[in-house]
Amino acid sequence: KNEVEQSPQNLTAQEGEFITINCSYSVGISALHWLQQHPGGGIVSLFMLSSGKKKHGRLIATINIQEKHSSLHITASHPRDSAVYICAVLTSGNTPLVFGKGTRLSVIA
Amino acid sequence: SQTIHQWPATLVQPVGSPLSLECTVEGTSNPNLYWYRQAAGRGLQLLFYSVGIGQISSEVPQNLSASRPQDRQFILSSKKLLLSDSGFYLCAWSHGSSYEQYFGPGTRLTVT
């Protein structure tokens, strides 16, 4: 069993819809990352959080440490949000990230 | 500000040929460095990480190796490429005990 599980694996949405991507993990963590990978392959870090909630523009990330669960929400989705969204966890400061398999999001105009 | 560079951006190599991918970080010192691979249809996988010059930890045994000849330089190598080595290779860095990791632009390798 993968230490980091994401759902759904694939998601197609209409422009304007509210989107939720979920991440569950089975290990103790120091922090959790949400990453965005565009079709060309480049990866951008969207959020790093260890508790509570963070918001940046139309993106919101939440984490529940007790339940070992995090969600990434996209409000008013747009075709340019189409990408693979990856959840990754860090168990301590200088250890490598453990990645989920990603959620492929397609937003249709 | 810190920047991370990878080259080449794309590479097509025949089976059995050698490989050298380079990653350099600017604007920081003594970074932790990581090599990840993303095979087609699969998630990111850690290959190697380094917390200092000459210190390399391998996560997955395979025909790849890594070296860190200088503080801010991380090299991924192979003596003989396999078809299964095809994928997207990402270098990343973090600093000390910081939880933030920063990714390079990646190298797309196709082994034919």
Side-chain angles (χ1 to χ4, degrees), chain A residues 8 11-22 53 55 57-62 71-78 81 105-107:
Chain A
L11 181 58
T12 300
Q14 290 293 126
E15 183 173 0
E17 283 187 14
F18 180 83
I19 290 163
T20 295
I21 299 171
N22 295 300
K53 175 180 174 179
K55 184 176 190 292
R58 296 180 294 107
L59 302 177
I60 303 166
T62 64
S71 293
L72 176 69
H73 306 286
I74 304 175
T75 61
S77 59
H78 190 275
D81 297 325
L105 171 66
S106 298
V107 181

Side-chain angles (χ1 to χ4, degrees), chain A residues 33 37 41 45 93 96-97 99, chain B residues 36 38 46 49 88 98-100:
Chain A
H33 289 248
Q37 184 173 30
S45 179
L97 291 168
F99 296 90
Chain B
Y36 297 98
Q38 187 177 44
L46 175 70
Y49 70 97
F88 189 64
S98 169
Y99 301 150
E100 193 77 49

Side-chain angles (χ1 to χ4, degrees), chain B residues 15 37 39 62-64 81-87 89 109 111:
Chain B
V15 168
R37 179 172 65 192
Q62 51 204 308
N63 69 320
L64 300 172
L81 284 168
L82 306 173
L83 284 173
S84 58
D85 292 323
S86 293
Y89 289 81
L109 171 66
V111 182

